[in-house]
Every structure is written in structure tokens, then in C-alpha cells.
Amino acid sequence: MAAARLTLRAGPLGHPWAHQKYLPARPKAAIATSRCLKRFQSHAAAVAEDDTQPIVDSTPPRQPVFAPLDTFSRRHIGPTHDSTQHMLKQLLPPVTSLDDFVSQVIPQTILSPKDLSIDGPLQVDESGATVGTGSEGFTESQLLERLKEIASGNTVMRSYIGCGYAGTRVPEVIKRNVLESPGWYTSYTPYQPEIAQGRLQSLLNFQTMVSDLTALPISNASVLDESTAAAEAMTMSANSLPASRQKVKDKTYLVSHLVHPQTIAVIKSRADGFGFKIQVGDILANNGGLVDEIGDRLIGVLAQYPDTEGGVEDFQSLSDKIHKAGATFSVATDLLALTVLKPPGEFGADIAFGNAQRFGVPFGYGGPHAAFFACSDKYKRKIPGRLVGVSKDRLGNPALRLALQTREQHIRREKATSNICTAQALLANMSAFYAIYHGPEGLKSIAENVVNAARVLQDGLWRLGYPTGDRGKDLNGRVLFDTVVVSVGKGNASSFVKRAARQHSINFRKIDADQVGITVDETVVRKDLDDILKVFSDFSRSSESVRSQDLASSLDVGPASSPPIPENFRRQSEFLTHPVFNSYHSETELLRYIHHLQSRDLSLTHSMIPLGSCTMKLNATSEMVPVSWPEFSSIHPFAPLDQAKGYKILIDELEADLAEITGFDAVSLQPNSGAQGEFAGLRLIRKYQELQPGKKRDICLIPVSAHGTNPASASMAGMRVVTIKCDAETGNLDMVDLQSKCEKYSEELGAIMITYPSTFGVFEPEVRQACDLVHQHGGQVYMDGANMNAQIGLCSPGAIGADVCHLNLHKTFCIPHGGGGPGVGPIGVKSHLAPLLPGHPLIPTGGSQATLPVSGAPWGSASILPISWAYIKMMGGRGLTHATKITLLNANYLLSRLSPHFPILYTNTSARCAHEFILDVRPFKQSAGIEAIDVAKRLQDYGFHAPTMSWPVTGTLMIEPTESENQAELDRFVDALVEIRREIKEVEDGVQPREGNLLKMAPHTQQDLLAEEWDRSYSRERAAYPLKWLREKKFWPSVTRLDDTYGDTNLFCTCTPVESIDGPNSTASTAS
């Protein structure tokens, strides 16, 4: 063996396979893996027999004396040095070094020659002098110290700015056990419902809460923010027009001038791509005269209730007129207000939406927050986003699942009117628990306190001589909810707001040159009211003495007093009557309920989640800790910039680091999801092309393998989609078809959208040629950054040839998935597109020729940006690059171990994949009647979440392990799949039946296995414990396989009554 070892080390490329003619120094074209791997099987067996055979010295490098012991990258990256060497040895074919391996995965033409430059901690020499920053990342303790320094640059003031955001008290039991709990924030979107019943139940609670409060029967499981929800309402309204009006020219959406300004801006941004006109005006003037003026061109009407100035209006007559005109009436509203005010569903609204932020989610400098979206029953199959519905499992038990998934862009592609791919599940869960904790009476008490506080404040302002107007108030001129608009004198508003902040540390909103707005909330106490009144008293130099206590007494405002609200505005219907909202009002009760739901969900706290194209990596605690620091969580998104200097430093550094990583010149962090990033990037391309001379360039080329959001986003940006073929054998772009389409549409070509590595899990060798070809024909290159985890430090979109690329910070840069959100989708651009980066109507941001915003807040979901900033800073340039190499290694290690048992669909000429690969289980349908869904469900019995199912190739499984998983976990996953393959073989051989076998009956619950009668062809023990380690570490699905068809044909999307969905004989409840 010694001689053999010397021979292995003597190969010209550093590995024993360098002389093989079928393994060139670099890949030239991708080929089907099944052809490659067979050539290496015999050698693999020989290597496996001699596990002691060393390839390289496995001794890790020695650490210098006094080196920090809390370095981060070794905690983030799963495989140790020794494991890495062992895994390299197990590859088919094996290699001697990580760098040699990388050269077989990534084409040499795009490998980056330079190291990433990420600023690390300051370095000092022996004399103590600073000698610059190191290339290594911050340690965890250094990082938190640095972040505290940055956070100190933020000034937390009392903010009464309103404009869609209000202060709230986050119950500590919810903050600690949901927001800060990895059991909640590391789970994935509940596409595998049998192991997601906890968060599905919580999201159903959210839907029920929204449906009850809005008095509309259907609610989704949250959307991104209030402003994008308004845009969704507009496109849903357009999609609901009768066929006779779909093709009417100059279709117009009518928006009240009293809608929040950021919402109007986002609506205009979205309308542009669809060619809709936005008309902003007084929708109540002349008995809704604008509706008559627009006539058949009317798409729908949007009102704010209460409006941006706090007014509450009667919309019943307007609603009737809109419906008579055949259009849709949408209402942006406030959930807390709806506990005391008549809900939109009771005055004719078809759609109601808004921000659930004040239900227990802090300001967070703009997000993330859960927006809600509800509609009448006739629109239930058009509602955007995810919808949790009640179904039943194999045993007939009530069970929850995502309903009506054929509405999603994955299916509808360019025909979709929405590209929503994620939501705000974690924040929706927080808001649902907030409602459960307080219950209907508690929420109403909070709302009444808010109204009382606003009226005390208004009365005090009157006594100080300040007019507050009478529009949208009761007959006595009193406010009806939380906002008071005050006239402070002609042209005085700006100076007044600045003085209040400077001298009193209080933020108000400038409405216009003469008026300021004050929005009170549940955090306001007597001292706050006195302090606010003092600001106005000092400004007016009034001698009048006003005290909130005296004012409250004169208004008969007390703890048990309900503010009088006119009958035509007062809510009289019940809400939140289900037991779930009336059972958990002590911390003990709520704590147990939270953990009961959490126990039903599989997350990264249990096992790896190998979802292809989802990058379920570690969300480190040190990255998550700052999210709930008040310096980051308690700043209003429209606070003056000088109060957010810390945020400015962090945002600037994060943008610079992302630009360095991606090879771009500028970055915008505004998009609050990956799909929003796609839309934002394509809007920039569209605007850029409109500024160029010549024909209209609106053709967008998209490979047939693309993620469904790509064509949906292109259509939303106003582009026409033309598909590009992919080679059936290799999965690569069909360069002949691309050349043909570029030539055919040369004068109209706007862009191409490509994902790199491809959605088939391979670095396509001709990607640079594809970019050059599109550029030659006047197009721009949009790169989908969903697979950026395979590029960092080794290559970059900018260097490859992309003009714009969106990233998924919730994938590549460690923001957790949260069970279906939040996410952040920033875009990086080349210099010629930088002037067009999106701006904002209230806070200066974006490029010099900024386009309209795509999110309601200037920097989107700003409060979770510290997570990605911390990840990059702690990893450092070297750590980030090494993580990418390990990502590629982990995927190829799994591929090599699984290839003897399953066909692999695509690899390159070196038999390598990128960071993910496709397991082809389609042949088993014919040989055993087994399909991808059966393998997916059986994996649940082994304690694993399934890989991505039937995408990008129907009937297959796509596996992505990420760098955070160590070799032991990878081996455990392999053992599970290999055992499942044996189970399939038994069906193929006739040992087990084609129906009723282990896979077809999976998953198995405890209830299922404890049935008195057992007449199956396999034992209970084999169903529950197919491998020995499951006896010690077993995650139990809480329901058996769901009946998808039943759930869609019997749609029920709120908490069920106490009796079962099957009738009165059962007392089960899906809210239990």
C-alpha cells in the first residue's frame, strides 16, 4: 500500500485521476451523471475497503499562542479539517486537496484570482501600534463589542410619527420563546405539513384573527408589508375584472389622497409594469364623483381606514357605487382600530389589508412586520400569498396544510399577477400569539386606552389654542382612534418637529408645511401625554396649564371607561370568539401553548433540512442576539436620519461588503424578499432600457428551468417573456437556441435572467459566452442569486458578466427562514444602473435618478440586517471562501455516497455538482409504484425534512446540504436514503406490496402505530425505528399523510369550530 500511496501523490494535478482522459483539468460541458459515475464505482469500492489510506497529512495547522478561542468560522462550518480530508478521499473520484476539488467543480474561466477583502478587527503589533485590519473575521466577543459600539450611534426616542407604524409592548414571553427561539425561527415554509402542524396552527390562528377583525371570510398567512399588500390588492382587483374589461385601455386604479404616502409610491411602482394608471384624489368628493369620471376604465378603489391623518369616514355609499360600477373596493386598515370601529367587511369592502406590527412586533426601523390580507369569499382563489387550510390525514384526523398552491407563481409563471414566494411567518406568529395572550377583551381595552389618550391629548391642544380640524371625527370634533393632526402655524411644521426632537427627544410627523401629526399607542402613559403637551405649550408660550390627569377627569376618562363612538362607526359584532383566543391569558398557559405548537415542528434544532435552492444553514445565536436590542428594534422607520447613525454605519458596511462579494458597484437593501429583489432589479433594467435610443426593449429571455418567480417578476416589470431551451442531457442552457433568440429579438431584447449555478445544480461552462451574447444584442444580464452560496469568494456575478443580481440574505447570509419569512432580497448593480436604485418618498435613499420604491420602508426589513452583517464580519474573507468550498464538498460527498444507490440527474464532465444535485427517483414509479412524494414522506419517519420535491424536474428530489452540516449528519442522511432504497427494492422484488407498503403509508405517527389491529406487511418496529439511532433520537410526525385533494375541494381557512370537520361526533379542534 505504501507504493500505491506514493503513486497517488505523484499525479500531475495532485490527484491519482489526472491522467485519465475522461477527467480533463477543467470541465468543458456538463453530461448526465449516470454516465460518469459508473466509471468510478469500482475504484470507489476499493477505496472504501481501505479506510486507512491517507491522501494528505490530516494534521490541522497549529494555532499561535494566545490566539482567540471564540473564532466563529470553525463554529459555523460543520466538517473539521480531518473530516474534510476524509470526505475528499470518499469522493468519486477522490482528490488530494480542497483546491483541486474546487477546480473540478467551477470552470477555470470564472474562478476569481483575488481574495475577498472584508474588514476584520484592528491588528496591533508587538509595540501596541495599530497596523490595519486583519483578513480573519471578528471573534464572537469582538463582534458583539463592535456591534454595541455601532448601536450606540442610534438614538432611541419616543416616536409618535404613525404613518402605518405604532409603538407596541412586545410580551416578553413571546419575544423570548418565539422571536428568539430557534425552534420557531429555523424552520422552513410548511410545504411538508406532517412535520409542520405547529406553525401551520399558529398561522391559522393569524388568519382567524385577521378574518374576525376585518369581518371578511378569507385571510392569507401574511404578506411582506402594508405597501406591497396594497400593490397586491390592485393587481388582484385587475385580475378580477370581467373579461369584457380586461383589455380596456388606460385601466385606472383610484387611490385616496389620504392613503399613507409610502403606500401610494409602491402602488405606482407596481402599476408601471402592468400599464395601469394611478389616480390619486378625494374619493368621497361629490358623492364619489371620480368613480363616475373613470367609468369602465376603473380597476378598483383604495381607501385608508382610519386614514393617514387619523380620520374615520363612512364608506358605505362609496362601496355601493364601486360595486355598481363592476369594480373592487379595497381598504387599508388597522387591526387594533377594528376592535372598536366597524370592520371593512361590514361596509362592503372586498379586500382589507394592513400592517399587523402593532400586535406585538417592534418598529425595527421598518421591518420585518407581518402584513395581513383578507378578502370576500368570491376572491379566495385569486388571493396572493400562502393560505393555510384545514384538511384531514390518512386516519381522518383534522390536519392543516398550505391550500390552493396552484395559485402560486411556481405554477403560473409569467401568467402570475403576483411573484410572492415568501411571507412574514415568524412575525405573523408573534402577532397571533399577541392576540391570543390579550384575548378580545384585552385588545379592546388597549384600543380604548389609545382612543382615550388621543382625546386627552386633543383636548389639551385645544386648551393651548391649537386647532385640530374636524374632518373624520365625531360630531363634537373628537378623534375616533389614535391620531391627532395639529396646525402649528403657517410654515412652522418643520421647525416644530425638529425642536421637539432636539429639546424633548420626541418625534412627531410633519404632515405638510403647517401641520404635524401625533399617533399615540399602547405604550403611552400619563407622563408621555404631559411631555407631549409641554412641547406644544413651550412652542406657543401659552400660560395655560394643562395636565393629562386633569384633562382625563374632565373627559370622564378612566380605566373602565369606554370612549363614546358614534353608532355608525362603532363595532357591534363579536370577534375572536374561538377558544384559542380565550384560553391562554396567563404566562404559564401561553408558554405551554407556544411550546406545545413548537414540539410539532421539525426545524434545524432537530436535523439538517436538505432543501435544494433553499440553503438552510446555521443561524448562529451571536448573529441573532442584536435583533432584539432596543437600539435596533425601537427606531421608527421615518425617524430623522441623525437618530439612526448606527444604522447608517451598519447599512453602509453591509452594502460595501455585499458589493465586494458580488463584484458590483452599488447595492440596495430595500427589497424585503428575494422575489421583491427580482422585481426591483428588473425594474432598473426596464427603466435603463427606456432611456436608451431605438426600439422598445422589453423582451426578457428566461430558461425553462428557471424558478417560477423569474417569469412572474419579469411580467410584473412589464417585460414579455421568451423562454430559452435547456439541453435535455446536460441541463445547460441551449446556446444554439439562445443565439437564435438573441438574433430574432435583437432590437427588442431587454434582458436575460439566469441562475448561477443553474437550477440543475451545475456550474455551466459557457455562462460568460451567454452574457457576452446578450450584451452584444443590447440586452442586460440579470442573475438570480438564489444559488450564491456556491459562489462566494470563488467567483462573482459581476465578474461573470451580470449587470444586476439579487441576493437572498435569508439563504446565503444567515437570516433565518422563520417558517416562511422574513427574508431580505437586496440587489447589486453595475455602475450604469446605480443611479436608478429605488428611492423613498419620506426618507432620502437610492440613486441620483431613483426609481419608485418596492417596499414601504426605506431599507426594507432593516432590523434583521445585523444578522447578515455579523455573519460576514465574523467569517471574514477567508472564512467565507472556505465555507463555499465546504458547501461544494458536502454536496459532492452526498452525491458520491448516494450515486451507487440512486440515479443522479446532472453533473459536469468531472462527475461533480455545484452546491446541490438532483436525485432521480422517477424510475421507481414504474418498477415499484413509488414516487418522489413517497420518499419524501418516508424520510419524515427517519427524522428528516424532505429535499425539494419535483423541482426543477418533476418527480425528482433536489438536495442541498450547506456548509453547516458535519460529516456525521451527512452520513445519517445518507443512511436514511440508502435504507429507503432497500425498502423500494423489496417492493420491486415483490417482498412488499405496491400499495400499503412502508413508503405509501408514511409517515407513521404514534397514534397510527398504537392501533389495536395491525394487518400490514411490515412490523410496527420497522415503521418507527428502521435504523438503530432512531431509538435514541426520534422526531415524531404529529399527523399521518394529508389528503391534499380534500383540503382544496373543502376549503376552510380559519380555526374550526370545536366539533371536527367530519361532523359533531368528534370533539377535536385544530386550534387545540
Side-chain angles (χ1 to χ4, degrees), residues 382-437:
K382 297 182 184 295
I383 190 171
R386 298 193 177 115
L387 193 65
V388 176
V390 181
S391 185
K392 61 182 180 179
D393 73 356
R394 173 168 53 79
L395 300 179
N397 297 314
L400 307 177
R401 59 183 284 276
L402 294 181
L404 301 181
Q405 293 185 52
T406 54
R407 300 167 301 111
E408 295 197 7
Q409 31 66 29
H410 304 79
I411 307 296
R412 292 180 55 80
R413 296 177 69 83
E414 67 270 17
K415 294 180 181 179
T417 56
S418 171
N419 69 345
I420 289 180
C421 188
T422 191
Q424 301 286 19
L426 182 66
L427 298 315
N429 289 331
M430 289 181 66
S431 291
F433 284 125
Y434 177 92
I436 289 167
Y437 198 34

Side-chain angles (χ1 to χ4, degrees), residues 37-235:
L37 291 172
K38 289 178 181 177
R39 298 170 179 165
F40 308 128
Q41 300 294 331
S42 58
H43 177 82
V47 171
E49 286 177 6
D50 182 13
D51 240 6
T52 62
Q53 177 184 355
I55 291 184
V56 295
D57 182 8
S58 63
T59 305
R62 293 183 57 129
Q63 294 294 322
V65 179
F66 302 124
L69 298 180
D70 62 338
T71 53
F72 178 73
S73 64
R74 66 192 176 95
R75 304 293 191 189
H76 174 83
I77 297 171
T80 63
H81 177 81
D82 288 346
S83 292
T84 298
Q85 299 308 315
H86 177 78
M87 291 161 68
L88 289 169
K89 175 182 171 181
Q90 296 298 312
L91 294 181
L92 300 176
V95 290
T96 57
S97 75
L98 207 47
D99 288 338
D100 282 348
F101 160 71
V102 168
S103 72
Q104 296 175 8
V105 176
I106 301 179
Q108 297 293 318
T109 53
I110 66 168
L111 270 173
S112 175
K114 74 182 190 75
D115 295 330
L116 288 178
S117 178
I118 304 294
D119 287 343
L122 293 175
Q123 303 292 303
V124 294
D125 60 18
E126 293 181 358
S127 67
T130 301
V131 292
T133 60
S135 60
E136 302 296 336
F138 286 81
T139 67
E140 295 188 56
S141 57
Q142 289 171 338
L143 185 285
L144 291 173
E145 184 179 348
R146 165 77 172 129
L147 200 51
K148 285 177 182 176
E149 179 186 344
I150 290 175
S152 69
N154 292 331
T155 304
V156 179
M157 295 188 181
R158 286 173 288 178
S159 286
Y160 308 116
I161 297 169
C163 207
Y165 304 88
T168 184
R169 297 192 189 282
V170 184
E172 293 296 326
V173 63
I174 296 174
K175 185 176 82 170
R176 180 65 177 267
N177 294 286
V178 180
L179 177 63
E180 298 175 348
S181 169
W184 284 94
Y185 66 68
T186 69
S187 56
Y188 188 65
T189 305
Y191 287 125
Q192 294 292 329
E194 297 85 358
I195 51 175
Q197 288 296 295
R199 61 189 182 279
L200 282 167
Q201 179 62 67
S202 185
L203 291 173
L204 188 75
N205 294 342
F206 177 83
Q207 291 179 182
T208 303
M209 172 189 80
V210 171
S211 185
D212 276 14
L213 290 171
T214 60
L216 288 166
I218 301 293
S219 165
N220 70 15
S222 77
V223 285
L224 298 173
D225 63 19
E226 180 171 332
S227 298
T228 55
E232 297 291 345
M234 174 188 65
T235 53

Side-chain angles (χ1 to χ4, degrees), residues 978-1004:
V978 170
E979 186 63 25
I980 288 173
R981 179 64 184 96
R982 290 194 186 101
E983 294 169 357
I984 296 173
K985 184 71 164 57
E986 289 181 1
V987 179
E988 292 173 325
D989 294 344
V991 177
Q992 291 287 332
R994 290 174 72 93
E995 296 296 332
N997 55 58
L998 279 161
L999 284 87
K1000 288 294 185 182
M1001 300 298 284
H1004 299 82

Side-chain angles (χ1 to χ4, degrees), residues 530-559:
D530 287 335
D531 291 347
I532 292 171
L533 289 170
K534 186 173 187 339
V535 176
F536 285 88
S537 176
D538 289 353
F539 189 77
S540 68
R541 299 191 178 126
S542 170
S543 59
E544 179 80 18
S545 175
V546 288
R547 295 174 59 248
S548 62
Q549 184 64 42
D550 298 334
L551 295 168
S553 298
S554 66
L555 293 174
D556 194 23
V557 170

Side-chain angles (χ1 to χ4, degrees), residues 49 58 65 129 327 369 476 697 708 786 890 931 984 986 1021 1043:
E49 286 177 6
S58 63
V65 179
H369 308 131
N476 297 314
R697 290 185 170 272
N890 279 359
E931 302 181 60
I984 296 173
E986 289 181 1
E1021 181 179 25
D1043 186 333

Side-chain angles (χ1 to χ4, degrees), residues 267-543:
I267 289 174
K268 289 179 177 179
S269 172
R270 185 74 64 87
D272 184 49
F274 291 107
F276 301 155
K277 289 190 173 182
I278 301 298
Q279 184 166 338
V280 179
D282 188 342
I283 59 176
L284 290 174
N286 301 317
N287 295 317
L290 288 175
V291 172
D292 297 323
E293 287 180 24
I294 297 171
D296 285 347
R297 296 180 292 113
L298 183 66
I299 294 171
V301 179
L302 173 60
Q304 188 98 36
Y305 173 86
D307 62 46
T308 193
E309 296 181 2
V312 178
E313 305 284 0
D314 187 344
F315 291 113
Q316 185 64 63
S317 296
L318 177 67
S319 173
D320 294 340
K321 175 171 279 198
I322 293 167
H323 293 145
K324 189 174 180 180
T328 303
F329 183 35
S330 298
V331 176
T333 190
D334 182 306
L335 291 179
L336 190 65
L338 299 185
T339 64
V340 293
L341 297 178
K342 179 186 290 187
E346 293 180 9
F347 57 73
D350 301 292
I351 299 169
F353 62 85
N355 188 0
Q357 174 264 319
R358 74 188 307 164
F359 273 30
V361 181
F363 286 132
Y365 204 40
H369 308 131
F372 59 90
F373 195 104
C375 67
S376 57
D377 189 71
K378 67 179 179 180
Y379 299 113
K380 64 188 177 187
R381 296 185 184 273
K382 297 182 184 295
I383 190 171
R386 298 193 177 115
L387 193 65
V388 176
V390 181
S391 185
K392 61 182 180 179
D393 73 356
R394 173 168 53 79
L395 300 179
N397 297 314
L400 307 177
R401 59 183 284 276
L402 294 181
L404 301 181
Q405 293 185 52
T406 54
R407 300 167 301 111
E408 295 197 7
Q409 31 66 29
H410 304 79
I411 307 296
R412 292 180 55 80
R413 296 177 69 83
E414 67 270 17
K415 294 180 181 179
T417 56
S418 171
N419 69 345
I420 289 180
C421 188
T422 191
Q424 301 286 19
L426 182 66
L427 298 315
N429 289 331
M430 289 181 66
S431 291
F433 284 125
Y434 177 92
I436 289 167
Y437 198 34
H438 289 291
E441 291 305 315
L443 293 176
K444 187 175 181 181
S445 295
I446 292 171
E448 290 174 344
N449 280 351
V450 167
V451 177
N452 285 330
R455 289 184 174 179
V456 165
L457 183 60
Q458 183 185 36
D459 191 53
L461 292 169
W462 284 345
R463 297 190 186 201
L464 291 171
Y466 288 96
T468 60
D470 56 10
R471 186 198 61 76
K473 300 177 173 64
D474 68 12
L475 294 177
N476 297 314
R478 293 174 300 188
V479 294
L480 292 172
F481 190 49
D482 65 351
T483 298
V484 182
V485 173
V486 192
S487 177
V488 292
K490 191 171 181 60
N492 286 338
S494 288
S495 60
F496 181 90
V497 168
K498 290 177 182 176
R499 177 174 173 169
R502 184 176 62 253
Q503 297 184 3
H504 300 272
S505 297
I506 292 176
N507 288 324
F508 299 128
R509 176 186 171 195
K510 177 187 172 184
I511 299 290
D512 55 33
D514 309 329
Q515 299 181 102
V516 300
I518 311 164
T519 296
V520 296
D521 54 59
E522 70 166 310
T523 69
V524 170
V525 296
R526 185 193 311 168
K527 182 181 185 306
D528 297 313
L529 293 174
D530 287 335
D531 291 347
I532 292 171
L533 289 170
K534 186 173 187 339
V535 176
F536 285 88
S537 176
D538 289 353
F539 189 77
S540 68
R541 299 191 178 126
S542 170
S543 59

